[in-house]
Amino acid sequence: MKSLLVLIGSILLICELNAQKSYNALPKYAATSLKEDAAILKKVLEANHPSLYWYTPKEQLDSAYDYMFNSISDSLNEIEFRNKIAPWVAMIKCGHTTALYSKKFIKELPPYRYPRFPLQIKFWEDSAVVLSNGYFKDSIIQRGTILQTINNKPIAFYRDHLFKQITTDGYAINHQYQTLSSSFPDGYKQVFGVDSIYLIGYINQAGKADTISLGNFAPVPRDTGTNRPRPSIRQTSLSKRQLRLLSLRSLSIDTVTHSAYIRLTTFSKGNLKTFFRRSFRKLKQENIQHLILDLRENGGGRISNSIALTKYLKQSPFKIADSIVAISRKFKHGKYIQSSWLYWLAMNIGASKAADGTIHYKRFEQHYYQPKERLAFKGSTYLVQGGYTFSAATMLISALKGQDNMTIVGEESGGGYYGNSALHIPNITLPNTKLRVRLPLYKMVIDQNRPKGSGIIPDIKIPPSSYAIRMGFDPKMAAIQALIKSKNN
């Protein structure tokens, strides 16, 4: 359930090339080897992926594959080959099915990250706003500047091309916006290469269209030969472990407004069950009436942790899904699937075969979990979500949506409201390039009565704004604080 972090990590680790080493300097693979890898990928997905044609009809996916396959007419390096494979994989519209570089390639990439495009950009709908400028002393292109063009092409041109590299659950495209916003310089370099100069079209302070030229960006190496005094470092009383845990989960309480804020960035690690128990005991002791649960950075993780948190908030028994189904326990082309024997064992122990030959994870289909009683939180709860909210985080919010004391605030979630493909997710490793593609083994329909294709739509939609980015404030939190104040009054 770590698909979101893996997806972001794979794009951030592209790291590409520097001025001295071009794409042509990287090792290339013969077209015959690349075509063999592409054909194997298609065979493995067709034989094992549980929802290959959930959103894209077979005829359309096959046609796109044929076009991609026939376009491989010459040798390519791994970046160029992934640029061929990734858009086809993204057409499956499964957020857990993503194309990753080989392990060897990722280890070799860090020296090649710079130079690159100088601006970090926030995207949403038809908007693009600067988050940061590598040239931080630039007084013109600053945080909050609205962008219109790059090299005389509209921003939408780059957005649409890079969207093709990013997988989603169905049509929940807000996940694409968030992912692109976190990795635009790397994604730009991956697909469009490196220019020495970029012509940037933007809206100036007078509200008029203007242009400026910016060079590609690389950090200036530190001068280690001088004895300049080092800046004083403020000491912290927290250990490295405590700081790490705070990056994963934290609790803060405001006794004046009787409110609490929990930030949870993962369901994978952080000793979460203990954290939940201690947190909800504290809420009860402090007579907290309002809880803000911030899941905007939460890409999912262990379903057991998601279930544990849901128990403190849900007011009625709940189950995980209407159906959780795999095609088979017999992994066809298993030699290309990471630890296929281990997943075979897990599917034999934890799942059972239905009359039609499919494999069902019946515990999650049939078992109803009971809410907590003693430490249950029954006050007003505000669930904050966005495009990064994915997988197990989406499952938690979807289970709570519609409950009387719940208010979902923010943007559409990245994870599908109807369902997704997940649970066990090994990697396919292609034999020649060693390029990897994640392979979810179960199709999960959370609720068959829900609309299919979108993420969770918030009760109160609050999109980004150039003004909020420029001024550095959080409009979602501001709206929630206003709601809490009105209820307290």
Side-chain angles (χ1 to χ4, degrees):
M1 291 296 217
K2 300 178 182 178
S3 65
L4 186 58
L5 295 178
V6 173
L7 174 63
I8 294 170
S10 69
I11 295 178
L12 288 176
L13 284 171
I14 291 165
C15 303
E16 307 91 18
L17 309 171
N18 62 19
Q20 289 73 39
K21 297 183 179 181
S22 68
Y23 284 133
N24 293 331
L26 293 173
K28 292 199 171 188
Y29 300 88
T32 52
S33 297
L34 299 173
K35 287 188 171 185
E36 181 184 6
D37 276 7
I40 288 170
L41 175 61
K42 186 172 186 286
K43 286 195 300 185
V44 177
L45 288 174
E46 287 177 337
N48 299 282
H49 198 291
S51 53
L52 194 62
Y53 310 117
W54 213 1
Y55 292 101
T56 305
K58 185 179 188 305
E59 295 77 10
Q60 185 179 345
L61 203 59
D62 286 349
S63 177
Y65 171 83
D66 290 341
Y67 179 84
M68 178 270 292
F69 186 85
N70 292 329
S71 72
I72 302 173
S73 57
D74 201 354
S75 60
L76 302 172
N77 62 42
E78 192 168 333
I79 290 175
E80 294 165 335
F81 183 52
R82 185 188 178 278
N83 285 345
K84 297 274 189 183
I85 291 292
W88 181 72
V89 170
M91 286 185 66
I92 300 169
K93 299 189 182 300
C94 169
H96 287 113
T97 307
T98 56
L100 310 174
Y101 290 108
S102 67
K103 292 180 180 180
K104 180 177 182 293
F105 192 64
I106 287 176
K107 289 179 181 178
E108 295 173 350
L109 283 174
Y112 300 98
R113 187 171 191 180
Y114 298 100
R116 63 180 187 178
F117 187 79
L119 304 178
Q120 193 74 46
I121 303 173
K122 171 68 176 177
F123 289 84
W124 72 96
E125 297 177 352
D126 291 327
S127 301
V129 174
V130 173
L131 288 176
S132 63
N133 185 345
Y135 299 103
F136 59 91
K137 293 183 179 180
D138 186 339
S139 61
I140 297 176
I141 304 298
Q142 298 180 320
R143 182 180 175 91
T145 300
I146 298 173
L147 299 184
Q148 293 186 313
T149 62
I150 299 173
N151 292 342
N152 293 317
K153 290 185 173 64
I155 283 289
F157 169 83
Y158 300 96
R159 177 200 66 201
D160 293 347
H161 274 71
L162 294 178
F163 266 16
K164 294 176 182 177
Q165 301 275 333
I166 303 171
T167 60
T168 65
D169 272 355
Y171 312 109
I173 64 169
N174 193 40
H175 174 61
Q176 290 176 303
Y177 282 115
Q178 293 282 19
T179 302
L180 185 58
S181 298
S182 73
S183 58
F184 182 76
D186 295 300
Y188 185 103
K189 189 171 185 179
Q190 172 198 9
V191 174
F192 301 106
V194 182
D195 294 322
S196 57
I197 295 292
Y198 302 91
L199 183 64
I200 308 297
Y202 69 101
I203 301 297
N204 62 27
Q205 293 183 356
K208 295 184 178 180
D210 206 343
T211 58
I212 188 173
S213 294
L214 292 176
N216 59 38
F217 174 73
V220 178
R222 291 183 60 184
D223 184 0
T224 57
T226 60
N227 295 319
R228 291 178 296 177
R230 293 185 178 182
S232 60
I233 300 175
R234 186 175 180 179
Q235 296 296 321
T236 175
S237 59
L238 298 177
S239 66
K240 289 183 178 180
R241 179 180 181 276
Q242 288 172 320
L243 290 172
R244 181 182 63 82
L245 289 175
L246 280 176
S247 72
L248 303 175
R249 79 290 193 280
S250 61
L251 167 68
S252 57
I253 289 178
D254 184 347
T255 56
V256 175
T257 61
H258 303 287
S259 63
Y261 172 77
I262 292 178
R263 175 175 171 265
L264 190 63
T265 65
T266 182
F267 279 113
S268 292
K269 50 190 175 181
N271 198 13
L272 292 179
K273 291 185 175 68
T274 300
F275 171 73
F276 297 153
R277 184 175 64 254
R278 291 174 177 174
S279 296
F280 283 94
R281 182 183 295 123
K282 186 71 171 176
L283 299 188
K284 192 175 187 69
Q285 291 171 347
E286 298 291 346
N287 191 30
I288 297 301
Q289 302 300 312
H290 308 280
L291 172 61
I292 304 168
L293 179 57
D294 193 341
L295 298 169
R296 284 176 288 184
E297 302 166 85
N298 196 308
R302 296 174 185 165
I303 294 178
S304 60
N305 285 330
S306 177
I307 293 169
L309 180 54
T310 305
K311 288 180 178 180
Y312 288 98
L313 299 169
K314 186 72 173 173
Q315 295 179 354
S316 59
F318 64 96
K319 66 175 182 175
I320 297 304
D322 285 343
S323 65
I324 303 178
V325 184
I327 294 175
S328 172
R329 285 189 283 230
K330 297 177 181 178
F331 290 97
K332 294 182 179 179
H333 316 293
K335 66 180 179 180
Y336 304 114
I337 300 173
Q338 166 202 351
S339 304
S340 59
W341 67 270
L342 186 61
Y343 292 98
W344 172 89
L345 182 63
M347 294 176 84
N348 275 273
I349 293 174
S352 57
K353 182 182 287 189
D356 63 358
T358 58
I359 308 302
H360 287 249
Y361 203 91
K362 288 190 176 180
R363 176 169 176 78
F364 283 169
E365 291 179 343
Q366 299 173 353
H367 181 74
Y368 279 83
Y369 294 89
Q370 300 300 316
K372 295 283 186 181
E373 295 182 2
R374 189 170 62 87
L375 296 179
F377 183 77
K378 298 181 180 179
S380 298
T381 302
Y382 305 90
L383 304 169
V384 194
Q385 67 171 29
Y388 285 158
T389 309
F390 209 81
S391 198
T394 304
M395 292 169 63
L396 177 137
I397 296 176
S398 68
L400 298 171
K401 183 176 174 62
Q403 188 168 290
D404 289 344
N405 64 332
M406 295 288 158
T407 304
I408 303 173
V409 180
E411 305 166 54
E412 180 186 14
S413 69
Y417 184 43
Y418 174 82
N420 59 60
S421 296
L423 205 60
H424 299 323
I425 314 177
N427 288 329
I428 302 166
T429 301
L430 303 180
N432 298 308
T433 61
K434 306 302 180 184
L435 196 80
R436 296 168 296 156
V437 175
R438 303 185 78 218
L439 172 65
L441 299 179
Y442 286 92
K443 177 170 67 175
M444 180 185 300
V445 176
I446 299 174
D447 188 333
Q448 61 186 354
N449 296 315
R450 292 174 181 171
K452 180 181 175 183
S454 71
I456 301 172
I457 305 302
D459 301 315
I460 301 176
K461 182 180 179 181
I462 304 178
S465 73
S466 58
Y467 176 77
I469 292 172
R470 183 167 63 253
M471 301 306 294
F473 78 91
D474 187 339
K476 298 171 180 63
M477 292 301 297
I480 292 172
Q481 295 293 350
L483 287 173
I484 292 173
K485 183 178 180 180
S486 67
K487 289 185 178 181
N488 285 339
N489 292 336

